[in-house]
C-alpha cells in the first residue's frame, strides 16, 4: 500500500499545474481516502515567529484547533521535541487536545527544511493502535516531499 502511495505523492508534488497549498490538499485527500484508518489528515506549520502552530491544508472534519501553542497537545509537543510521536491510545495521554470524541489514536511526524522543524503532519484515527513503523517511514517520506516544495 505505502509504495504505491509514495509514487502517487511524488506525482502530486511534481505536477507543475498547481501550487504548494493545493498539492498539500491533494496529499491530505489522497491519504485520507486511501488509508482506511487515516480519518483526519492535516498539516500544521510554525506560525511566523510565534511559538505556535497554525493549521494548514487538511482532510476530515473541521477542527476548532487552528492555532496550537508550542508544548500543548501532541502537536505542540512535537513542535518542541522534533521527534515522531505515536499515540496508540489518546485517552492515556494527559497533554492531549481532543478534536473529536471518535478519535482513538494519533500520529504526528515533524517536517524539516534545512534542518529546521517547520511543521508537521498530523493523523487522527478512529481505530485503536493502528500505526506501525511503516506509517512513520511513509509520513517522513511525505514530509520530505512537501518540504521540497516549500
Ligand atoms: N490532537 C491534537 C490536536 C490537533 S487535532 O488532532 C486535529 C493534539 O493533541 O495536539
Amino acid at each position: 500500500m505505502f509504495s504505491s502511495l509514495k509514487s502517487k505523492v511524488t506525482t502530486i508534488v511534481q505536477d507543475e499545474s498547481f501550487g504548494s497549498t493545493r498539492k498539500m490538499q491533494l496529499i491530505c485527500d489522497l491519504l485520507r481516502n486511501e488509508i482506511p484508518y487515516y480519518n483526519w489528515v492535516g498539516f500544521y506549520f510554525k506560525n511566523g515567529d510565534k511559538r505556535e502552530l497554525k493549521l494548514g491544508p487538511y482532510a476530515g472534519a473541521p477542527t476548532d484547533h487552528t492555532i496550537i501553542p508550542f508544548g500543548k497537545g501532541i502537536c505542540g509537543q512535537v513542535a518542541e521535541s522534533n521527534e515522531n510521536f505515536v499515540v496508540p491510545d489518546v485517552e492515556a495521554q494527559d497533554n492531549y487536545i481532543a478534536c473529536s470524541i471518535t478519535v482513538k489514536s494519533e500520529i504526528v511526524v515533524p517536517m524539516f527544511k534545512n534542518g529546521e522543524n517547520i511543521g508537521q503532519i498530523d493523523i487522527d484515527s478512529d481505530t485503536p493502535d493502528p500505526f506501525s513503523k511503516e506509517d512513520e517511514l511513509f509520513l517522513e517520506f511525505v514530509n520530505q516531499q512537501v518540504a521540497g516544495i516549500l
Side-chain angles (χ1 to χ4, degrees):
M1 174 171 73
F2 287 124
S3 65
S4 77
L5 281 174
K6 277 185 177 180
S7 68
K8 288 180 183 170
V9 167
T10 306
T11 301
I12 291 169
V13 164
Q14 291 175 347
D15 194 318
E16 289 177 1
S17 56
F18 32 73
S20 57
T21 301
R22 179 85 186 122
K23 289 178 184 184
M24 286 190 280
Q25 184 65 58
L26 290 170
I27 290 169
C28 290
D29 294 339
L30 174 75
L31 270 52
R32 183 167 182 266
N33 290 335
E34 299 289 327
I35 304 175
Y37 54 93
Y38 282 22
N39 299 104
W40 190 94
V41 178
F43 291 98
Y44 282 93
F45 290 99
K46 186 171 191 293
N47 192 12
D49 291 338
K50 298 180 189 162
R51 288 183 52 79
E52 65 183 31
L53 295 161
K54 186 177 182 191
L55 182 62
Y58 68 93
T63 173
D64 290 340
H65 305 290
T66 54
I67 297 284
I68 298 177
F70 278 22
K72 301 284 183 196
I74 308 303
C75 296
Q77 291 177 77
V78 169
E80 293 186 324
S81 72
N82 306 323
E83 290 179 1
N84 297 351
F85 199 155
V86 181
V87 181
D89 173 10
V90 294
E91 287 190 17
Q93 294 292 321
D94 290 333
N95 190 357
Y96 167 74
I97 302 166
C99 280
S100 157
I101 53 163
T102 61
V103 175
K104 298 282 193 294
S105 56
E106 178 163 6
I107 181 171
V108 178
V109 173
M111 184 188 299
F112 299 96
K113 184 157 180 98
N114 302 324
E116 185 191 347
N117 182 347
I118 60 165
Q120 52 192 235
I121 190 166
D122 176 20
I123 316 291
D124 283 348
S125 179
D126 295 347
T127 303
D129 196 11
F131 301 115
S132 71
K133 193 70 193 169
E134 303 304 310
D135 294 275
E136 290 188 61
L137 293 171
F138 172 64
L139 295 170
E140 287 169 11
F141 172 86
V142 169
N143 280 355
Q144 285 160 10
Q145 294 288 311
V146 170
I149 55 170
L150 296 176

